[in-house]
Amino acid sequence: MRVSIRKYSDKPLSDSLLNDLLEKSFRASNTGNMQTYSVIVTRSEEKKKALAPFHFNQPMICGAPVVLTFCADFYRFSQWCKARNAEPCYNNFLSFISATIDATIVAQTFAMLAEEAGLGICYLGTTVYNPDQIVEILQLPELVMPVATITVGYPDECPVQPERLPLEGILHEEVYHDYTDQDIDRIYAAKEAMPENQHFVTINQKETLAQVFTDIRYKKADNEYMSGVLKKTLKQQGFAK
């Protein structure tokens, strides 16, 4: 059973353990064995405080002993190409997607290894909401883009496992199968019936849980604004024209 840990104990996370877990995670599958990813390790309180506002001040950023920012990175590989009389051609959107997939695989591999070692982790999806600010704080060069953030440390809580959709709601055999209204009702029934989710609907004065997502949590205006920032930052970092 895995859960997201948002509260961490004061027990220090040693460099040796962290580096061992990272080194093992770097054995993960990747495109063309190019390893087009980098990981920025943040331990200092100063840097955590600088990053926090751009992760919506979620308490895990400053509360965890270590914050890891996983980056799509074609800069290092391109530098190697230039040093070996080869002309790199990775300043394009396809290269960004390829490197993002590789970085995400590494992040998930690290998360699983960390949990097996008795650590707790929390994945923050906010990394791509404010990439321009994270780029500046972490001093990321061209062709390096932050794509995922994980906080890690020893847990100081035992939260219940969050709900997940049933297998039938996600799995498609051979080809993608469309959903009937009855399918949607059945797939989301347990999620909508949870007391905490019903509470979200009530306190937000909405009719359905779906409206909490569309009207409160992930609004159209916010999505469009952050999409613009993401596109702008991709251009700035050399992954888009």
Side-chain angles (χ1 to χ4, degrees):
M1 183 186 79
R2 73 148 314 276
V3 295
S4 293
I5 298 299
R6 295 175 172 83
K7 294 181 181 179
Y8 298 90
S9 74
D10 295 331
K11 183 178 179 179
L13 174 53
S14 68
D15 287 337
S16 60
L17 176 56
L18 178 63
N19 290 340
D20 179 63
L21 295 173
L22 285 169
E23 187 171 11
K24 288 176 179 175
S25 72
F26 297 161
R27 306 298 300 180
S29 301
N30 67 97
T31 305
N33 200 25
M34 294 183 287
Q35 290 187 275
T36 53
Y37 50 78
S38 286
V39 183
I40 312 299
V41 180
T42 302
R43 285 184 177 275
S44 76
E45 296 303 317
E46 180 183 3
K47 272 290 194 241
K48 291 178 194 175
K49 289 178 181 178
L51 286 170
F54 307 110
H55 288 290
F56 299 165
N57 289 309
Q58 296 179 83
M60 306 84 78
I61 289 290
C62 292
V66 175
V67 177
L68 302 175
T69 305
F70 293 80
C71 303
D73 181 358
F74 255 108
Y75 175 79
R76 181 186 64 249
F77 191 81
S78 295
Q79 292 297 98
W80 174 66
C81 290
K82 293 175 183 178
R84 297 297 182 269
N85 198 30
E87 186 62 33
C89 52
Y90 308 112
N91 56 340
N92 52 69
F93 190 64
L94 176 62
S95 295
F96 167 69
I97 292 297
S98 174
T100 295
I101 292 170
D102 290 354
T104 305
I105 292 172
V106 167
Q108 181 59 30
T109 301
F110 172 83
M112 295 175 67
L113 290 170
E115 290 175 332
E116 288 177 1
L119 300 172
I121 66 97
C122 187
Y123 165 78
L124 283 76
T126 44
T127 309
V128 293
Y129 295 172
N130 297 293
D132 53 338
Q133 301 294 336
I134 295 173
V135 163
E136 182 177 350
I137 292 167
L138 299 181
Q139 300 178 26
L140 304 182
E142 192 173 73
L143 297 184
V144 181
M145 185 78 175
V147 295
T149 298
I150 289 178
T151 58
V152 59
Y154 288 94
D156 193 29
E157 62 173 347
C158 296
V160 298
Q161 189 174 31
E163 92 284 348
R164 291 292 188 263
L165 296 179
L167 182 66
E168 67 162 322
I170 298 172
L171 192 63
H172 300 261
E173 296 287 352
E174 307 297 345
V175 298
Y176 194 100
H177 296 280
D178 201 357
Y179 300 96
T180 66
D181 290 345
Q182 291 76 20
D183 291 335
I184 294 297
D185 288 344
R186 186 174 61 258
I187 291 166
Y188 284 90
K191 187 183 190 78
E192 292 175 329
M194 294 185 67
E196 55 266 47
N197 286 339
Q198 292 181 349
H199 179 63
F200 289 151
V201 175
T202 301
I203 63 174
N204 286 291
Q205 299 180 325
K206 295 296 176 180
E207 297 176 0
T208 67
L209 181 62
Q211 289 177 353
V212 176
F213 282 84
T214 61
D215 301 351
I216 304 294
R217 296 189 65 186
Y218 303 102
K219 297 182 290 187
K220 179 181 179 181
D222 292 342
N223 287 335
E224 290 178 344
Y225 172 77
M226 289 184 288
S227 293
V229 172
L230 180 58
K231 291 177 182 177
K232 180 180 178 181
T233 309
L234 283 172
K235 290 182 180 179
Q236 170 191 307
Q237 297 303 102
F239 280 118
K241 303 298 183 183

